[in-house]
Amino acid sequence: MKLKSLIAAACMGLIGSAALAEDGKVKVGMITTLSGGGAGLGIDVRDGFLLAAKMAGNDNLEIVVEDDQRKPDIAVQLADKMIQSEKVDVLTGIIWSNLAMAVVPTATAQGKFYLSPNAGPSALAGKGCHPNYFNVAWQNDNLHEAAGGYANDAGFKKTFILAPNYPAGQDALTGYKRVYGGELAGELFTKLGQKDYAAELAQIRASDADSIFFFLPGGMGISFLKQYADSGIDLPVVGPAFSFDQGILQAVGDAALGVKNTSQWNKDIDNAANAAFVDAFQAEYGRLPSLYASQGYDTANLLLSAMAKADVSDADAFRTALEAAEFASVRGDFEFAANHHPVQDIYVREVIKEGDVFTNKIIGTALSDHSNVYVDDCKM
């Protein structure tokens, strides 16, 4: 089946049946955000995952895709349907940490594998870890820890920090503060999905900040950066890739130029797997891939690597195959820590313009072979 037909059928819920997986077959339920705020993130994860599936050409992989609308109750309903009616073996796709917290513990408790292509809340990395839960992206704190390290190197002494008030936002500010060595000029939690930042910008203006760190993914970041550019405030900005990723930059435009941001991936990472991914994604979809697309792609290839070594019906063997992570990651070296979160390099990127396209280039490494602080709290 051609990829575009696969996407259309999957989104209409037409792929597969409720039959149990046969030997060698794996049925995947992808719950992700395809409409409303943040839809671009879910679309990119979906497209990256389905691209890897198409390139592998493995007929034993069956995929059902559903839209969670960024609503926890919808995500839970979809997970229940996929587990009980669709009889999926593996779940994946969730973008937002509050949705992950609503779905993952119940899914893993029912013996299903969950492979996260994005959300990595601290609660699932430490005491709430589970043998069937794997995060293929990062632990939520990681990119923010790297931003704190960059802020130290840049000489920032008094940063104003802000993020949305939900699990990933809380982890973001925790991660930044863990590594950042200066003082805080202010700390704010905003509303998830907020679009007007006049009040926050007024507080930044009134502070004695010498820099700004923010985590505002998707449309939130677009709104903040545009309003910041129009505010007349002239302070250096640093953040994680989520507010400066490929799908966002075109909407932000010149306001993002020169901003430094942290990421475990970029299109200019020099390895064969990444070059093949970037070329294939552009050929298939007519756009540059984003961080989220790379994470979806790696998640699918991790799954495919496990399928090559074990049957999903043998949970212990399949888990061991996932833990081995024997696939060619677009990031290069990739391995799991004991709590099933990546150990990987995290880079500093700068927003640039290539012709008419806003994009990022790597300018340095913020953290090498970086794991997470919750490993010792995970007992499994």
Side-chain angles (χ1 to χ4, degrees), residues 15 98 157 182:
I15 292 181
N98 54 332
K157 302 298 184 186

Side-chain angles (χ1 to χ4, degrees), residues 1 6 15 22-27 52-63 304 307:
M1 182 180 287
L6 179 65
I15 292 181
E22 300 172 4
D23 287 348
K25 293 186 179 296
V26 172
K27 190 168 186 179
K54 177 185 180 181
M55 292 170 70
N58 189 332
D59 292 336
N60 286 330
L61 181 60
E62 188 177 5
I63 306 163
L304 289 159
M307 290 173 62

Side-chain angles (χ1 to χ4, degrees), residues 1-12 15 46-47 49-59 61 63 65 283-285:
M1 182 180 287
K2 290 185 177 180
L3 183 58
K4 290 181 179 177
S5 298
L6 179 65
I7 291 171
C11 291
M12 292 185 291
I15 292 181
R46 179 200 66 187
D47 288 355
F49 192 99
L50 293 178
L51 176 64
K54 177 185 180 181
M55 292 170 70
N58 189 332
D59 292 336
L61 181 60
I63 306 163
V65 182
E284 187 66 43
Y285 301 111

Side-chain angles (χ1 to χ4, degrees), residues 29 73 120 139 236 306 348:
D73 57 332
Q139 192 281 314
V348 179

Side-chain angles (χ1 to χ4, degrees), residues 10 47 121 201 331 376:
D47 288 355
L201 289 168
R331 286 163 264 184
D376 292 342

Side-chain angles (χ1 to χ4, degrees), residues 26-306:
V26 172
K27 190 168 186 179
V28 177
M30 175 176 284
I31 301 168
T32 197
T33 305
L34 301 174
S35 63
L41 285 58
I43 288 168
D44 279 358
V45 160
R46 179 200 66 187
D47 288 355
F49 192 99
L50 293 178
L51 176 64
K54 177 185 180 181
M55 292 170 70
N58 189 332
D59 292 336
N60 286 330
L61 181 60
E62 188 177 5
I63 306 163
V64 180
V65 182
E66 295 279 6
D67 178 14
D68 60 35
Q69 303 171 49
R70 208 174 78 180
K71 297 177 181 177
D73 57 332
I74 298 296
V76 169
Q77 292 171 22
L78 291 172
D80 288 345
K81 183 183 78 168
M82 287 181 172
I83 292 170
Q84 296 166 17
S85 300
E86 297 282 357
K87 305 298 183 184
V88 301
D89 306 294
V90 177
L91 286 164
T92 190
I94 291 176
I95 300 297
W96 307 92
S97 289
N98 54 332
L99 274 66
M101 290 303 303
V103 168
V104 173
T106 300
T108 53
Q110 294 179 72
K112 303 302 177 183
F113 288 94
Y114 188 90
L115 309 183
S116 178
N118 197 67
S122 56
L124 298 179
K127 294 179 180 179
C129 68
H130 192 281
N132 286 356
Y133 171 71
F134 290 79
N135 190 295
V136 194
W138 22 256
Q139 192 281 314
N140 276 355
D141 302 17
N142 289 165
L143 270 59
H144 316 292
E145 292 169 333
Y150 170 77
N152 293 334
D153 293 341
F156 299 160
K157 302 298 184 186
K158 205 162 188 177
T159 301
F160 196 107
I161 64 176
L162 66 158
N165 192 14
Y166 79 120
Q170 295 153 13
D171 288 345
L173 298 194
T174 296
Y176 184 84
K177 291 186 292 184
R178 180 179 294 121
V179 177
Y180 174 58
E183 299 179 47
L184 294 182
E187 179 176 0
L188 288 176
F189 283 109
T190 64
K191 183 179 178 181
L192 185 63
Q194 182 173 322
K195 296 297 177 64
D196 184 356
Y197 294 94
E200 288 79 8
L201 289 168
Q203 291 187 54
I204 293 171
R205 187 191 305 278
S207 75
D208 56 353
D210 67 0
S211 52
I212 299 169
F213 167 79
F214 76 93
F215 163 61
L216 294 166
M220 293 178 285
I222 295 171
S223 296
F224 178 82
L225 275 173
K226 286 186 171 181
Q227 291 167 43
Y228 178 74
D230 292 337
S231 71
I233 301 171
D234 187 20
L235 295 174
V237 173
V238 63
F242 317 119
S243 298
F244 304 94
D245 206 44
Q246 199 61 52
I248 292 174
L249 288 178
Q250 310 316 307
V252 176
D254 289 338
L257 279 175
V259 172
K260 310 302 191 297
N261 62 94
T262 50
S263 178
Q264 87 282 16
W265 177 84
N266 201 54
K267 65 182 178 64
D268 58 356
I269 292 178
D270 187 12
N271 65 64
N274 195 44
F277 161 63
V278 173
D279 288 347
F281 193 92
Q282 284 185 277
E284 187 66 43
Y285 301 111
R287 67 184 192 273
L288 286 172
S290 70
L291 174 72
Y292 303 99
S294 78
Q295 292 166 182
Y297 186 83
D298 267 1
T299 300
N301 280 319
L302 169 68
L303 176 61
L304 289 159
S305 74

